[in-house]
């Protein structure tokens, strides 16, 4: 028994969200619900608004219209409570900066540290467990810049695990990673969803979708489809998400 009470599930609700960058419409009246206990894949071409949607959910971008709630709270409140873990496409970490893999993962524990900001035994244990889950225990003291792309991505996933975030957002986590890292990340996301977490992951890897996700969302500045992976992978559905049309699209 861990001695801690499990946090209640926290889902994502996006209601009528639009985002404009001057004259550019990045998101247009997006409605989306992401439920706990599932892996939801976000699919769309470059420029479809995936990264903007992630930033709206985390509160890094303020919508022009509409609202986002996480477990019924604003993104800012959810982040203060440590509910949200975010793995962006690329981390702004200087490869030469002398920070170890363990220290990067420990960053996920900052919200749990006391007033002294000194890690306690429970924090070190959480980091050890997170490193083990991403299969990086033997590289904990390695400088983060020395890792391969796939290993580095796994380290940032470990940071979210150590944080004990109830909502995990991953923006293109498979881009440029090796097959071992991809398989490890897929396994982890499935396990985390089974633990009751909410997992939203954007990906271009359509072949991995049936293994990765319980459902898929197709985005082209607005949600054009949300439902089963098998339905999302139909050519006519993908065509709409990628700005193409197929015969019969306009049929009743």
């Amino acid at each position: 028994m861990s001695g801690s009470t499990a946090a209640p599930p926290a889902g994502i609700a996006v209601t009528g969200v639009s985002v404009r960058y001057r004259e550019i419409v990045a998101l247009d009246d997006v409605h989306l619900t992401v439920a706990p206990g599932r892996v939801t894949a976000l699919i769309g071409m470059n420029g479809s608004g995936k990264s903007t949607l992630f930033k709206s959910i985390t509160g890094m971008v303020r919508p022009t219209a509409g609202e986002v709630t996480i477990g019924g709270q604003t993104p800012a409140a959810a982040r203060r409570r440590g509910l949200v873990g975010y793995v962006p496409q690329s981390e702004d970490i200087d490869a030469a900066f002398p920070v170890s893999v363990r220290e990067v993962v420990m960053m996920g524990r900052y919200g749990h540290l006391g007033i002294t900001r000194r890690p306690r035994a429970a924090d070190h244990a959480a980091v050890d467990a997170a490193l083990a889950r991403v299969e990086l225990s033997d590289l904990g003291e390695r400088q983060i810049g020395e890792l391969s792309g796939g290993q580095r991505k796994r380290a940032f996933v470990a940071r979210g695990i150590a944080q004990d975030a109830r909502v995990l957002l991953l923006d293109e986590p498979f881009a440029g990673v090796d097959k071992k890292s991809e398989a490890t990340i897929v396994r982890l996301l499935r396990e985390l969803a089974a633990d009751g977490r909410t997992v939203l992951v954007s990906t271009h890897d359509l072949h991995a979708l049936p293994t990765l996700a319980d459902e898929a969302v197709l985005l082209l500045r607005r949600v054009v489809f949300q439902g089963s992976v098998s339905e999302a992978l139909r050519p006519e559905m993908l065509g709409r998400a990628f700005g193409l049309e197929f015969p019969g699209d306009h049929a009743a």
Side-chain angles (χ1 to χ4, degrees), residues 6-203:
I12 302 167
V14 178
T15 308
V17 165
S18 297
V19 175
R20 290 178 175 268
Y21 299 115
R22 293 192 176 92
E23 71 278 4
I24 298 173
V25 178
L27 294 175
D28 181 20
D29 193 29
V30 171
H31 293 264
L32 174 65
T33 300
V34 185
R38 298 168 67 80
V39 177
T40 300
L42 183 63
I43 309 298
M45 62 185 181
N46 292 336
S48 64
K50 300 189 302 297
S51 293
T52 298
L53 179 58
F54 276 128
K55 291 175 182 177
S56 298
I57 293 170
T58 60
M60 297 166 66
V61 167
R62 180 173 295 182
T64 308
E67 69 171 2
V68 177
T69 58
I70 301 171
Q73 305 174 56
T74 65
R79 288 187 74 178
R80 283 195 298 270
R81 291 188 56 200
L83 291 179
V84 184
Y86 178 43
V87 180
Q89 284 192 47
S90 60
E91 291 276 350
D92 294 326
I93 290 184
D94 186 345
F97 191 70
V99 59
S100 71
V101 173
R102 173 174 290 278
E103 288 168 329
V104 167
V105 178
M106 184 63 76
M107 291 175 186
R109 299 297 299 173
Y110 283 177
H112 300 268
L113 301 182
I115 193 169
T116 64
R117 291 300 181 189
R118 287 188 175 182
R120 294 163 292 190
D123 302 305
H124 288 293
V127 169
D128 288 340
L131 286 170
R133 290 191 77 172
V134 300
E135 301 178 10
L136 290 178
S137 295
D138 57 337
L139 298 178
E141 306 309 319
R142 185 82 56 91
Q143 181 184 352
I144 188 69
E146 295 177 356
L147 299 190
S148 69
Q151 290 170 334
R152 194 178 306 182
K153 193 72 73 171
R154 281 152 56 194
F156 295 127
V157 173
R159 182 181 61 188
I161 294 172
Q163 179 184 330
D164 196 25
R166 305 310 300 172
V167 175
L168 287 168
L169 309 172
L170 299 96
D171 195 357
E172 298 291 349
F174 308 122
V177 308
D178 55 275
K179 288 298 181 183
K180 173 180 170 59
S181 291
E182 179 175 339
T184 299
I185 293 170
V186 169
R187 173 182 56 78
L188 274 171
L189 297 184
R190 300 297 314 172
E191 290 175 357
L192 293 167
D195 288 343
R197 287 173 171 81
T198 301
V199 180
L200 180 62
V201 51
S202 71
T203 178

